[in-house]
Amino acid sequence: MWKHVPDGGFERLSEGGPMMIGELGDLPGGELSMLFPVKAIHTLPFKAPSTDPALFEDLAVMHAERLGIRPDPMAGQLSDHFIVSEDEESTILLHAVLKSPGDGELPLRTPKEFDLSARAFQAEGDAVTAWKELGRWVFAIHSGGKLLYAQATSYDGAVPDDALLREIHLALGQLAIQGLKVTPAHVHVWPPEGELGEAGSLAEGLGVSAVVERRPDPMIPSPESRLLPADVRAARREKKRKNQIIAGVAAAALLYLAFIIWASFGLWQDMKERDRLASEAGNVGHIAAEYQTQIAKWDELEPVVEAAQGPLEIMLNVANAIPKNGGVRLTIADIGPDGVKLTGAAPQSAPVNSFSLALKRTPDLSWLEWENEAPKKTAKGWEFRFTGALPRQAAQ
C-alpha cells in the first residue's frame, strides 16, 4: 500500500498485508486507486495491421476471442488495450482482460480508478522484471519501456529458480512467433521488502546479468485504463443517482423559493397597478359614458365613412366578381344600410353559381355575409337573388 505525497510521488505505507484486499480495513483517506495483481489479468499482446485507433478495440476483442478469452459482458468494463509501439502500417497493442473479481477481491471502499500493477512498475528499454505478488513470483516483459506482457506463476521460492526461467523463455519465444521479438537488455529482480534477495537462475539465464534491487515505488500509468468492474460501476451509478436526486431536490426547492419571491413581487406590483388604475378610473369615469355614446354614433356612420362600403366601391367589386362571357346581367342592385341585394339573370345556371362563389371569396366584400338562393329556371333562362347582409343585421 502506497500513499501519494506532495512532490508527486508515492511512499510505501505497508508491506505484507492480507492476501485478500477485502480484508484490508485501514485504508488511508482520500481518493483510492487500485492496481490489480498480475494473476488477475490476461495480457494478450498482438500486432494490429492498422494504425487507426478506431479499429483497435474491435481488433483486440477479435484477438482475445481467437484465444478463447471473452470477458463477462455483465461484469463491467473488464478489458482495455494499450499502444506499445507503432510504425507506418501496423501497431503493437497490449490487450488486457481482467478476470471477474470474486468476493473479497475488491476493497471495502470504492476506488476512483483501476489499473494493472505491471504497468505501474516500469523499466527502461527492453527488459524483464521479476518480483513477488501475493507470495508468488510474477514477471513482466517490457518493450521500449512499455509493458508488453506479464504473467503470474505458481513458484514461491525465496529466489527465482529454473522453473521461472523456463516460463520467461517460453513467453519470449511465443512473442517472437507472433512477430513481437524482444531481446532483453536488462533483467531486474525485485525481492520482497526487507530481504536481500538473489537473482538465482535469472543471474545469467537470459544472457544478460540481472540486477537485484528494491522494487521501485509505483508510478501513475499513462494513459489511464478504462477497467471498471460491475460492482464498482453499479456503486458509482447509485451514488450518482443519489447525488442527482439531492441536487434535483435542492434545485426544486430553490426554484420554488424563487417562484414565491417572484410571484409575491408580481402580486405587489399588480396591487399597486390596480390601485393606480382605480384612482385614474375615478377621475375619468364620467368620460366613459361620453365615449360609448361617441362610439355608437360612429358605428351609425360606418356605411358613410368606410370607403369599402361606398356604393360605387361595392358595385365595382360586384362587377369584378361577374364571370366573363357567362351572360350574367344584373337587373336590380339595391345598396342600403342593411346590406346589398342583387337580382339578375343568365342563360345558364353554371355562370350564376360561379358568380355566387366569387362574391363570397372576394376579399373586398368579405365584410358582408352572403345568403345566395339557388337560381330558378324560367322561360328566359335562370334568375337569381343574392343578398349580402351586414353581420349584425344577419345576426338579428
Side-chain angles (χ1 to χ4, degrees), residues 226-305:
R226 296 177 297 147
L227 298 175
L228 187 63
D231 291 345
V232 176
R233 183 170 62 182
R236 288 186 183 179
R237 287 180 177 175
E238 179 64 18
K239 182 179 180 180
K240 182 178 180 181
R241 186 185 69 83
K242 290 181 179 179
N243 290 339
Q244 288 175 339
I245 292 175
I246 294 174
V249 171
L254 183 62
L255 183 62
Y256 179 74
L257 179 61
F259 173 76
I260 293 298
I261 295 175
W262 173 81
S264 300
F265 180 73
L267 180 61
W268 175 79
Q269 286 185 318
D270 291 343
M271 293 177 65
K272 187 176 180 180
E273 180 68 9
R274 183 200 63 184
D275 294 341
R276 186 187 67 82
L277 293 176
S279 177
E280 291 184 0
N283 296 331
V284 299
H286 64 283
I287 301 178
E290 298 178 4
Y291 176 76
Q292 294 297 329
T293 302
Q294 183 68 17
I295 291 298
K297 292 180 178 180
W298 188 259
D299 289 342
E300 292 177 2
L301 293 174
E302 185 176 12
V304 178
V305 298

Side-chain angles (χ1 to χ4, degrees), residues 146-283:
K146 294 185 178 181
L147 177 66
L148 178 64
Y149 179 78
Q151 179 180 327
T153 71
S154 59
Y155 311 119
D156 58 358
V159 297
D161 55 10
D162 291 341
L164 177 61
L165 179 61
R166 283 196 302 271
E167 293 285 357
I168 296 175
H169 275 300
L170 181 60
L172 290 171
Q174 290 175 339
L175 292 175
I177 292 175
Q178 298 179 63
L180 308 176
K181 184 176 181 180
V182 177
T183 303
H186 309 279
V187 177
H188 300 275
V189 178
W190 299 327
E193 182 73 10
E195 298 183 12
L196 295 177
E198 297 179 9
S201 299
L202 302 185
E204 301 291 343
L206 294 175
V208 293
S209 59
V211 179
V212 180
E213 56 189 352
R214 176 183 179 274
R215 181 171 60 171
D217 293 326
M219 298 179 63
I220 298 177
S222 179
E224 297 179 355
S225 79
R226 296 177 297 147
L227 298 175
L228 187 63
D231 291 345
V232 176
R233 183 170 62 182
R236 288 186 183 179
R237 287 180 177 175
E238 179 64 18
K239 182 179 180 180
K240 182 178 180 181
R241 186 185 69 83
K242 290 181 179 179
N243 290 339
Q244 288 175 339
I245 292 175
I246 294 174
V249 171
L254 183 62
L255 183 62
Y256 179 74
L257 179 61
F259 173 76
I260 293 298
I261 295 175
W262 173 81
S264 300
F265 180 73
L267 180 61
W268 175 79
Q269 286 185 318
D270 291 343
M271 293 177 65
K272 187 176 180 180
E273 180 68 9
R274 183 200 63 184
D275 294 341
R276 186 187 67 82
L277 293 176
S279 177
E280 291 184 0
N283 296 331

Side-chain angles (χ1 to χ4, degrees), residues 316-329:
L316 176 61
N317 293 327
V318 169
N320 291 335
I322 296 176
K324 304 299 181 182
N325 303 321
V328 176
R329 66 185 184 279

Side-chain angles (χ1 to χ4, degrees), residues 44-48 63 84-85 91-94 141 143 148-149 171-183:
L44 311 172
F46 70 102
K47 179 180 288 188
H63 177 67
V84 179
S85 64
T91 306
I92 295 178
L93 297 173
L94 169 59
I141 299 174
S143 175
L148 178 64
Y149 179 78
L172 290 171
Q174 290 175 339
L175 292 175
I177 292 175
Q178 298 179 63
L180 308 176
K181 184 176 181 180
V182 177
T183 303

